[in-house]
Amino acid sequence: MKYFPLPFLFLLLGWTSNYAQLKSPDAFFGYALGQQFTPHQKVVEYFKYLEKASRNVKVVNYGKTYEGRDLLVGIISSKENMDRLEEIRNRNKLLSKATGGTEVLTKQPAIVWLSYNVHGNEASATESAIKTFYTLAEAKSAKHTQWLQNTIVIIDPCLNPDGRERYLNYFNSVSGAIPNPDPMAREHLDPWPGGRSNHYYFDLNRDWAWQSQIETRQRLVLYRQWMPEVHVDFHEQNYNEPYYFAPAAEPIHQDVTPWQREFQITVGKNNAKYFDQNGWKYFTKEQFDLLYPSYGDTYPLYNGAVGMTYEQGGIGAGLAVVTIDGDTLTLKDRIEYHFTAGMATLETVSGHAGRLVKEFKKYFEQSKLHPPGNYKSYVVKGENLGKIKRLALLLERNGVAFAYGGEGLLTGFNFETRKSGSFKIERNDLIVNLEQAGSVLANVLFEPQTKVSDSNTYDITAWALPYAYGLNSYATNTSVKGKYATVEQPKGNPFSTQKPYAWLLPWNSLDDAKILIAMQRVGIKVRLAEEGFTAGGKAYPLGTLLVYRLENEKLVSDLSMKIARIEKEHQALFYPVDGGFVEKGKDFGSSVYPALSVPKVAVVSGDGTSSQSMGEVWHLFEEDLGYPVTMISLSDIGNLNINKINTLILPDGSYVGNLAEKLHDWIKIGGKLILLEDAILSVSGKKPFAIHRKEYFKDELLNVDIPKYVSRKQANLSNLISGAIFRVELDHSHPISAGLGNYYYTLKTDDRLYEYLKQGWNTGMLKAGSHVAGIAGEAVLKKLGDGMLFGVQPEEKGTIIYLGASVLFRSFWENGKQMFVNSVFLVN
């Protein structure tokens, strides 16, 4: 018989009772999982309870949503691993930087990150996360204990609490005491704007790389501190669909490694084993591809992990719904499917933990030694420092290394001409050398043309950052290394005086819009240069802002101090000039320097409006610009008061009713109407709107071969456009073009184009051969060959602005933001 010291016995009893006393979710919540949806606050409370009740659990709060809800992850592993958790994390980071030696592999578990409920109305995912976390914390099974010895499991139970709570609040408000499984019941119909998106109606599963949303930015700070070997993103799809898990469908980006593909198959086979045992339907290798870089599967893949998406049928299913097959799908069923897939995946990861860590190490070493793609470096010309700074911030957030400036004359692919040409490295050029651990993601974000193996893709097929940011760039086969860590700030005007005639500010980026807002907020009268000019030996482009000292001293006290404070707060540089006589162009007394009015902005929202488009506008004003905006319903547009609202934005959408009749009088007395995308179709051909969509006769388009049934999903590819980039010819004499560069590159997701305006200005036009990158069928290219995409129509004292493509696409199309703020603030 063995005897234990009494203190040890008490310790042992305490340890065993700790696990015996773990409350199940059912006991903690007071209802069985699947009986009702669990509110986010209760999820948070349960995760924190498990942290207190279990020695193998750690909860990390990584931020809050826009609406103030907690964002957190639960971390669980064996006690041995938890005791050296920080050591394991730091070792893994060394591997992800290609700086860890072979000794780092010793006793290094694989890190697997499980993400749930990025779309709020895919609500079973969070419930599955709760069950998974509890099961691992309880660890009653020997196999679960073994898995936790081989892995660190990080569980994010809800990436989008705001959207999920919006969905739950609606569902709970309309469902009865007994769930109604009839698909026609209102509890299965999620009203506008729906629960899928976050507070600003953004799809967070399209935001991983762009990090426009606060939830994404905060999560990726933590994600990049861990850099897992495996990431699984748990979703739901239409409730009539069977379960989907990896391997993924084509197209798969060429930079996804053979190992990443192979392990997806390994995982899929093990998942299939358990689904087969239960007789559950599933599919693989269809619909969900691996191309667009901002998904919850592709972003981890481009950062060394094996990224996978799992999809359970369930959107709109509520607590129970009758499917098209006549079966009743319950929330409990959906929880079980996700739980089974997740646990099967953990089993696979545990069984291959050593290989996963070795391949992870190899991934980053190869990335640094043998970067992917056709080029060794990307050089972004430093001609627009405002946009360069915003691009640099995006790269920093994504762990992409870069530097500035250098010397020498090089040759490379010119993004603008799409031909090889020579260029000189200058001081403020941003240089991304691909000989770095983050080369795969860097190459994916910059490559001028993404290779697409199958045009039947799930999302856009072009996103190259030089086009999105409107920055002249080169891709070169030379390994170029920048010499400086920061940009060189421009120097002030040597001809400045204490009492200048005017202060000048060139207009180049959103940062300049913020400065304009700051000046107008304190009552400064700002003028616009509608033509370029030269003063004090410096050339100023169209769009330059002017503040005349004398006229403003009558309006604003301490004018110079206010200008200096704004200059300091925004890290800007105003150029004072001594007089109104210019060396080239019109003198400052000319009518080409009109005073800018202060926009009083309203945005139409609600039914008929694209929630995504409306959210992009809302987010830009509130988060990017810090500018007040009023949301109104479509029914209120006939009651606009020009003194309270002088700028109205109609987001993309399908609007019913006579908009022209309701808005004409308001426009005539000075209202500015900005129409985005399909909002244009709602007014096309109706007075006073002078815009008409281009129409085509059948004989003008390509003949399409008669398709066979077997190729039905490939049919009509001639009419397909999967988010392609086109070059837009600009009217550089119009203020809407200020700061955009030689051309504007637009992302087109449809084939719509408009006849040239006869009343007004065609400020952005597509010409034949304007296609730059991405998938677009032959018939689409013919339709987009010659016409107007962006235009401005004067209407008596008012203005109508037509923006026929998505200029605010997912808030990462930076040059589109520039065109939009030009429309709001510069077009009088």
Side-chain angles (χ1 to χ4, degrees):
M1 179 180 292
K2 291 184 178 179
Y3 294 91
F4 297 95
L6 193 58
F8 179 79
L9 183 60
F10 283 140
L11 182 65
L12 180 63
L13 289 172
W15 183 83
T16 54
S17 62
N18 177 45
Y19 286 90
Q21 293 173 4
L22 275 186
K23 287 185 180 179
S24 69
D26 298 4
F28 187 88
F29 298 134
Y31 57 83
L33 277 183
Q35 186 176 337
Q36 65 184 65
F37 289 111
T38 306
H40 184 68
Q41 186 54 40
K42 285 191 175 183
V43 178
V44 172
E45 290 169 2
Y46 188 63
F47 268 54
K48 290 183 177 179
Y49 157 74
L50 288 178
E51 181 183 33
K52 290 181 179 179
S54 171
R55 304 195 318 175
N56 293 0
V57 170
K58 179 181 176 66
V59 171
V60 178
N61 279 77
Y62 64 83
K64 288 187 179 292
T65 68
Y66 284 113
E67 296 177 15
R69 294 185 176 91
D70 287 326
L71 295 165
L72 78 165
V73 298
I75 305 173
I76 187 165
S77 189
S78 67
K79 182 181 183 301
E80 179 188 5
N81 290 337
M82 295 301 290
D83 286 344
R84 59 187 194 94
L85 194 62
E86 193 64 11
E87 175 195 336
I88 291 169
R89 186 186 68 81
N90 285 325
R91 283 181 164 214
N92 207 63
K93 280 196 72 176
L94 289 176
L95 296 179
S96 72
K97 295 179 181 297
T99 54
T102 54
E103 71 281 357
V104 177
L105 301 178
T106 306
K107 296 182 67 176
Q108 183 70 9
I111 299 169
V112 55
W113 187 303
L114 307 179
S115 293
Y116 298 82
N117 236 131
V118 68
H119 295 141
N121 61 353
E122 299 173 11
S124 77
T126 291
E127 312 292 333
S128 303
I130 296 169
K131 182 172 182 178
T132 302
F133 200 36
Y134 165 70
T135 303
L136 294 175
E138 191 180 36
K140 283 186 176 180
S141 166
K143 65 179 182 180
H144 294 165
T145 302
Q146 182 63 43
W147 298 353
L148 294 178
Q149 289 175 353
N150 296 334
T151 63
I152 303 288
V153 182
I154 302 174
I155 295 178
D156 190 331
C158 189
L159 280 66
N160 181 12
D162 291 350
R164 190 171 190 269
E165 289 299 289
R166 187 188 311 130
Y167 169 72
L168 264 57
N169 288 337
Y170 170 75
F171 178 83
N172 291 332
S173 72
V174 299
S175 59
I178 299 174
N180 188 339
D182 185 344
M184 293 296 291
R186 63 177 181 168
E187 63 199 66
H188 301 298
L189 306 174
D190 196 9
W192 194 98
R196 177 183 177 89
S197 53
N198 77 336
H199 173 76
Y200 283 112
Y201 308 157
F202 273 66
D203 185 335
L204 294 181
N205 194 41
R206 306 296 190 275
D207 192 49
W208 281 74
W210 319 131
Q211 300 184 46
S212 71
Q213 301 301 290
I214 195 170
E215 294 91 347
T216 312
R217 289 198 297 274
Q218 293 173 125
R219 182 177 71 253
L220 282 174
V221 169
L222 184 65
Y223 184 94
R224 300 200 71 83
Q225 288 173 359
W226 281 95
M227 293 293 281
E229 277 76 29
V230 175
H231 180 267
V232 184
D233 200 14
F234 290 85
H235 287 257
E236 289 193 292
Q237 54 188 330
N238 184 283
Y239 55 71
N240 290 311
E241 296 290 336
Y243 201 97
Y244 164 83
F245 47 74
E250 291 287 346
I252 298 175
H253 195 280
Q254 61 185 352
D255 291 344
V256 175
T257 68
W259 161 249
Q260 289 172 319
R261 293 174 184 240
E262 175 190 331
F263 194 70
Q264 282 207 348
I265 296 171
T266 302
V267 169
K269 286 181 177 179
N270 197 50
N271 288 356
K273 179 182 73 174
Y274 288 98
F275 274 63
D276 289 343
Q277 289 174 3
N278 287 286
W280 297 339
K281 290 190 290 185
Y282 59 89
F283 67 97
T284 66
K285 303 182 291 293
E286 293 183 79
Q287 295 185 30
F288 303 103
D289 60 71
L290 298 174
L291 190 70
Y292 173 70
S294 210
Y295 286 138
D297 52 12
T298 51
Y299 186 86
L301 278 162
Y302 301 146
N303 281 279
V306 177
M308 295 172 287
T309 291
Y310 291 178
E311 296 269 358
Q312 162 63 39
I315 295 177
L319 296 179
V321 70
V322 176
T323 68
I324 198 171
D325 294 330
D327 298 325
T328 299
L329 177 68
T330 67
L331 177 58
K332 184 178 180 181
D333 296 332
R334 291 149 59 196
I335 294 171
E336 192 62 27
Y337 295 145
H338 263 335
F339 172 76
T340 301
M343 297 299 278
T345 300
L346 287 177
E347 180 180 58
T348 307
V349 172
S350 172
H352 296 78
R355 175 81 186 275
L356 278 162
V357 175
K358 287 179 183 178
E359 291 290 344
F360 188 74
K361 179 177 185 291
K362 176 182 174 183
Y363 179 94
F364 291 103
E365 289 173 345
Q366 291 296 310
S367 296
K368 191 172 184 178
L369 292 173
H370 306 290
N374 300 321
Y375 306 103
K376 293 182 179 179
S377 304
Y378 292 100
V379 179
V380 184
K381 301 300 292 178
E383 298 159 349
N384 186 318
L385 288 188
K387 291 178 187 173
I388 284 286
K389 290 175 184 177
R390 295 176 78 87
L391 174 60
L393 179 60
L394 179 73
L395 298 179
E396 285 174 1
R397 287 173 172 169
N398 283 293
V400 174
F402 60 91
Y404 297 96
E407 299 172 351
L409 189 66
L410 300 173
T411 60
F413 175 85
N414 184 323
F415 277 75
E416 187 170 287
T417 65
R418 286 176 286 158
K419 297 177 181 177
S420 180
S422 61
F423 64 98
K424 182 182 178 182
I425 299 288
E426 297 175 292
R427 172 61 181 85
N428 282 337
D429 292 350
L430 186 151
I431 299 167
V432 177
N433 187 303
L434 291 185
E435 292 173 353
Q436 60 171 289
S439 66
V440 174
L441 181 61
N443 184 63
V444 169
L445 295 178
F446 275 91
E447 59 187 353
Q449 178 72 55
T450 298
K451 183 180 178 182
V452 182
S453 59
D454 186 337
S455 56
N456 192 20
T457 181
Y458 198 66
D459 211 286
I460 64 172
T461 55
W463 50 78
L465 292 180
Y467 295 129
Y469 278 70
L471 291 167
N472 190 23
S473 303
Y474 292 85
T476 176
N477 288 316
T478 303
S479 179
V480 185
K481 295 186 178 179
K483 295 176 63 176
Y484 308 97
T486 60
V487 296
E488 182 180 62
Q489 297 294 339
K491 294 179 175 59
N493 190 336
F495 302 102
S496 63
T497 62
Q498 290 298 316
K499 281 198 162 187
Y501 182 90
W503 290 271
L504 311 180
L505 179 73
W507 180 273
N508 291 308
S509 72
L510 255 64
D511 294 336
D512 302 315
K514 292 180 182 179
I515 296 169
L516 170 61
I517 292 167
M519 289 192 290
Q520 290 183 331
R521 193 163 278 158
V522 296
I524 295 174
K525 185 177 183 178
V526 183
R527 294 180 176 272
L528 170 73
E530 292 188 329
E531 297 178 9
F533 62 93
T534 300
K538 178 178 172 60
Y540 295 88
L542 172 147
T544 295
L545 303 180
L546 304 92
V547 177
Y548 294 173
R549 179 181 57 81
L550 185 60
E551 72 176 0
N552 272 286
E553 284 180 339
K554 299 174 183 177
L555 303 171
V556 180
S557 60
D558 300 322
L559 176 66
S560 296
M561 290 178 61
K562 285 184 169 66
I563 292 286
R565 187 178 71 247
I566 291 170
E567 187 177 42
K568 182 178 180 180
E569 287 176 354
H570 292 268
Q571 298 181 337
L573 181 62
F574 288 86
Y575 294 88
V577 290
D578 298 332
F581 187 88
V582 303
E583 292 107 74
K584 186 177 181 180
K586 304 285 177 60
D587 294 332
F588 289 165
S590 170
S591 62
V592 301
Y593 304 105
L596 291 172
S597 59
V598 178
K600 301 171 184 177
V601 183
V603 181
V604 172
S605 63
D607 289 339
T609 305
S610 161
S611 59
Q612 176 180 310
S613 178
M614 179 264 169
E616 289 164 349
V617 175
W618 183 19
H619 180 265
L620 177 81
F621 278 109
E622 287 201 348
E623 296 297 320
D624 279 339
L625 299 176
Y627 198 80
V629 61
T630 301
M631 309 299 169
I632 66 173
S633 67
L634 186 64
S635 60
D636 291 329
I637 65 171
N639 304 314
L640 297 179
N641 182 335
I642 194 68
N643 295 313
K644 294 183 178 180
I645 301 296
N646 59 20
T647 303
L648 178 66
I649 299 165
L650 260 67
D652 182 26
S654 178
Y655 299 96
V656 296
N658 194 337
L659 300 183
E661 183 178 313
K662 292 180 177 180
L663 291 171
H664 194 187
D665 288 342
W666 174 81
I667 295 171
K668 285 194 299 183
I669 60 174
K672 181 194 296 182
L673 177 64
I674 302 175
L675 298 156
L676 302 182
E677 299 182 83
D678 282 3
I680 297 172
L681 299 179
S682 299
V683 302
S684 178
K686 301 173 184 177
K687 293 183 179 181
F689 302 98
I691 193 166
H692 298 273
R693 182 180 175 181
K694 286 200 74 170
E695 300 292 344
Y696 296 87
F697 296 103
K698 289 183 178 180
D699 59 359
E700 290 181 285
L701 301 177
L702 299 174
N703 293 322
V704 179
D705 293 335
I706 298 173
K708 294 182 180 180
Y709 181 75
V710 70
S711 61
R712 62 195 180 279
K713 292 186 179 180
Q714 300 295 323
N716 294 322
L717 292 183
S718 178
N719 291 297
L720 176 70
I721 179 166
S722 299
I725 296 174
F726 288 76
R727 187 177 68 186
V728 178
E729 306 276 345
L730 295 171
D731 176 358
H732 286 288
S733 68
H734 196 282
I736 204 172
S737 71
L740 294 181
N742 294 330
Y743 300 96
Y744 175 78
Y745 294 91
T746 187
L747 187 70
K748 283 290 284 176
T749 57
D750 58 54
D751 63 1
R752 287 185 275 286
L753 198 59
Y754 299 90
E755 301 285 354
Y756 291 113
L757 287 177
K758 296 178 182 178
Q759 300 170 239
W761 299 280
N762 300 283
T763 55
M765 299 152 283
L766 291 184
K767 302 289 187 180
S770 61
H771 178 233
V772 172
I775 297 296
E778 292 181 71
V780 171
L781 294 178
K782 194 165 186 179
K783 287 181 181 180
L784 295 177
D786 187 35
M788 186 204 77
L789 194 59
F790 306 115
V792 179
Q793 176 192 335
E795 180 62 25
E796 298 193 27
K797 292 183 179 180
T799 306
I800 304 167
I801 299 175
Y802 304 105
L803 300 179
S806 179
V807 293
L808 302 179
F809 189 80
R810 297 176 186 168
S811 197
F812 85 90
W813 212 261
E814 201 67 30
N815 220 25
K817 291 182 184 180
Q818 184 74 38
M819 182 182 287
F820 183 82
V821 298
N822 290 355
S823 302
V824 173
F825 293 99
L826 300 190
V827 178
N828 272 337

